[in-house]
Amino acid sequence: MFLSFEGIDCCGKTTQAKLLVEKLQSVNNTVLFLREPGGTEISEQIRQILLNKKNLKMTQITELLLFSASRSQLVTEVIKPAIAKGTIVITDRFVDSTTAYQGYGRGLHHGGVKSISSIATSGLMPRKTFFIDIPVQEMYSRRLASHQEIDRMEMSNEDFYHRVREGYVELAKEEPGRIVTIDGRQPIDTIHETIWKEVDGMLHTVNE
Ligand code: TMP
């Protein structure tokens, strides 16, 4: 089983992914949790390049190719072998991030982004994706409260984030069977229960 978490920055997807990992482990599942970009030695190096604030000269195409390169390495080196062994793989972001951020956010040609993404994943898609949706203003409030230093991607302007969020909303409309939209303003426990209900149902289907 392969599951991913998506949403704009500060939506709470990492917290939810970790809660799901703990829950799955508590009922004796072997789970692998990965973040994107990252998850392999090479992909973590690519992450440094992508997020480094010094790299302001990075073109949008370079950005697209680097996110995709990082993903390609992760899919081949880690995700596919883990799925083959029966491990449940959970990723904090996957290919929908590229569609939303580089396609909708940066405004790159959607067909081109799709082709590059499908080369990077060799067609592998999550069985279920949890899109934790928050308004852009909520992202700014949470970012302010966290006092964390912003990275190169987070230097993008407000319009960019509106387009990214809209991208996720569109993707969820296109693939309602795979993408589950959850209101990220709900309490952490309520969101976790919604996700667990969905995943528990999937586990029962797999085991029947
Ligand atoms: P993170 O903050 O969830 O760790 O993600 C790192 C940043 O990279 C975040 O701003 C979203 C961005 N990103 C893309 O723009 N495209 C992608 O394909 C991925 C995986 C992340």
Side-chain angles (χ1 to χ4, degrees), residues 94-114:
F94 196 63
V95 74
D96 299 313
S97 283
T98 303
T99 310
Y101 279 76
Q102 280 63 56
Y104 284 84
R106 299 290 191 225
L108 293 178
H109 183 260
H110 287 207
V113 172
K114 213 172 180 179

Side-chain angles (χ1 to χ4, degrees), residues 5-10 13-14 35-38 47 50-51 63-64 66-68 70-71 92-103 106 117 143 151-156 160-161 164 168:
F5 282 78
E6 293 283 355
I8 62 171
D9 305 33
C10 308
K13 63 186 168 42
T14 309
R35 71 166 176 184
E36 271 231 63
R47 180 184 176 92
L50 277 162
L51 301 185
E63 183 181 288
L64 167 69
L66 285 177
F67 277 117
S68 304
S70 162
R71 181 165 309 124
D92 184 346
R93 299 195 179 282
F94 196 63
V95 74
D96 299 313
S97 283
T98 303
T99 310
Y101 279 76
Q102 280 63 56
R106 299 290 191 225
S117 290
R143 193 188 274 175
D151 59 39
R152 190 189 64 84
M153 287 303 296
E154 290 165 339
M155 291 167 79
S156 310
F160 171 80
Y161 282 104
V164 172
Y168 278 124

Side-chain angles (χ1 to χ4, degrees), residues 35-52 55-75 94 97-98 102 108 113 116-117 120-121 152-153:
R35 71 166 176 184
E36 271 231 63
T40 73
E41 224 171 276
I42 293 170
S43 309
E44 288 292 336
Q45 289 177 57
I46 297 173
R47 180 184 176 92
Q48 299 297 324
I49 299 170
L50 277 162
L51 301 185
N52 191 334
N55 292 331
L56 289 178
K57 280 190 194 155
M58 188 180 296
T59 69
Q60 297 183 348
I61 299 291
T62 302
E63 183 181 288
L64 167 69
L65 293 173
L66 285 177
F67 277 117
S68 304
S70 162
R71 181 165 309 124
S72 167
Q73 192 66 34
L74 184 67
V75 166
F94 196 63
S97 283
T98 303
Q102 280 63 56
L108 293 178
V113 172
I116 288 167
S117 290
T121 59
R152 190 189 64 84
M153 287 303 296

Side-chain angles (χ1 to χ4, degrees), residues 71-88:
R71 181 165 309 124
S72 167
Q73 192 66 34
L74 184 67
V75 166
T76 308
E77 197 182 318
V78 182
I79 300 183
K80 281 194 170 170
I83 292 173
K85 275 198 284 182
T87 302
I88 298 176

